[in-house]
Amino acid sequence: MNEFSIVCRVLGTLFYRQPQDPLLVPLFGLIQQGKLREHWPLEQDALLLRLQQSADPQALSAEFNHLFVGTECAVSPYRGHYIEEGEVDSELEVRTFLKQRGMPLGDAPADHFGSMLLAASWLEDQSQEDEAAAQIALFDEFMLPWCGKFLGKVEAHATSGFYRTLSEISREAITAMRDELEEALPKDIEDSEEDEQ
C-alpha cells in the first residue's frame, strides 16, 4: 500500500465505520498515541494533533450516530442526497462504475462518502494501467461535485472536535490527492483529455 492508498483507507474507514467497531481499535490506538501523525504523508500535523486530542471512540459513538446514521441523521453521507434532482440513480451510477473496474461490492450503498474513499484506496492498490484515470474519474465525477458540501455540513453539525477536524483533514487530503493524480497521468492521456474539452 502506498501513501495515497493509506490516506484514503484511513479517512474512508473513519467516516464509514462506527467508532466503537472492533476493526477501528488499532487505528484509534495509532491516533491516540500520536503515531498516525508520525507516518502521515501530508503536512497536517496541527490537524492530526487536534484529532488525537478528541479521539475517544466511546465518546464519539453517539455523535457518529447523530451525524451519519438513520433517516433523521444530521448529515447524510450519501452522494444521492447532494446531486441535482432528476439525475440518474446516484448509487447505481457509482456501483456500475466500481463494478466495471472489477471491485467486489456487497449490498451496502456504494455512494457513501467513506466507502468511496475506500474505493479510491482499492483502485490504487489494484495498480492497473489506467488506475490514475480511473481514480480521477472517481474523484471528478463521483466525489468532488458534492464532498465540499458534505464536509461543510459535518463541520457545522459536529459537536466534538473529532469529526470537525476529520472533515478539515479530508478536505485538504482530497485536494492534495486529486492534484497528485493529475501529476501521475501519462502525458498522452492528459493531451487527449485536453483535446476533449
Side-chain angles (χ1 to χ4, degrees):
M1 252 192 294
N2 66 21
E3 293 175 343
F4 181 103
S5 179
I6 290 168
V7 169
C8 289
R9 185 159 301 180
V10 167
L11 298 176
T13 300
L14 289 171
F15 275 108
Y16 190 71
R17 294 194 174 276
Q18 296 270 357
Q20 71 278 17
D21 186 317
L23 291 173
L24 288 186
V25 170
L27 179 54
F28 269 103
L30 287 173
I31 294 169
Q32 290 167 331
Q33 297 161 17
K35 291 186 176 168
L36 182 63
R37 201 168 66 242
E38 293 171 16
H39 303 288
W40 198 247
L42 303 171
E43 295 294 322
Q44 296 181 304
D45 285 357
L47 288 172
L48 290 167
L49 183 58
R50 274 188 13 219
L51 195 71
Q52 178 184 352
Q53 293 165 345
S54 57
D56 178 358
Q58 297 311 317
L60 293 172
S61 178
E63 181 170 30
F64 182 91
N65 289 331
H66 163 72
L67 287 171
F68 309 123
V69 178
T71 55
E72 301 298 316
C73 65
V75 185
S76 173
Y78 299 101
R79 175 180 180 257
H81 289 105
Y82 299 89
I83 61 170
E84 295 297 316
E85 289 290 325
E87 286 192 28
V88 295
D89 181 341
S90 172
E91 196 279 334
L92 181 61
E93 208 178 17
V94 175
R95 179 174 292 277
T96 301
F97 172 78
L98 294 174
K99 278 189 167 182
Q100 288 170 344
R101 301 297 308 155
M103 184 173 177
L105 297 170
D107 294 333
D111 67 339
H112 185 288
F113 179 74
S115 69
M116 292 175 77
L117 282 170
L118 292 169
S121 173
W122 185 87
L123 287 170
E124 177 71 18
D125 292 342
Q126 298 315 300
S127 295
Q128 293 182 16
E129 204 168 285
D130 63 344
E131 128 213 359
Q135 288 169 318
I136 285 173
L138 179 66
F139 275 71
D140 289 359
E141 295 174 36
F142 301 114
M143 288 187 68
L144 290 175
W146 67 280
C147 74
K149 187 181 284 189
F150 165 73
L151 293 170
K153 285 184 82 168
V154 174
E155 288 171 32
H157 289 277
T159 55
S160 76
F162 187 85
Y163 288 106
R164 208 170 14 257
T165 304
L166 184 62
S167 293
E168 290 180 62
I169 290 170
S170 299
R171 187 183 311 276
E172 288 182 12
I174 288 169
T175 301
M177 289 185 292
R178 177 57 183 87
D179 292 346
E180 182 182 312
L181 285 171
E182 195 68 43
E183 293 166 14
L185 265 186
K187 186 71 178 131
D188 57 335
I189 293 176
E190 268 184 74
D191 292 341
S192 69
E193 283 185 351
E194 286 172 13
D195 293 342
E196 287 172 16
Q197 294 175 357

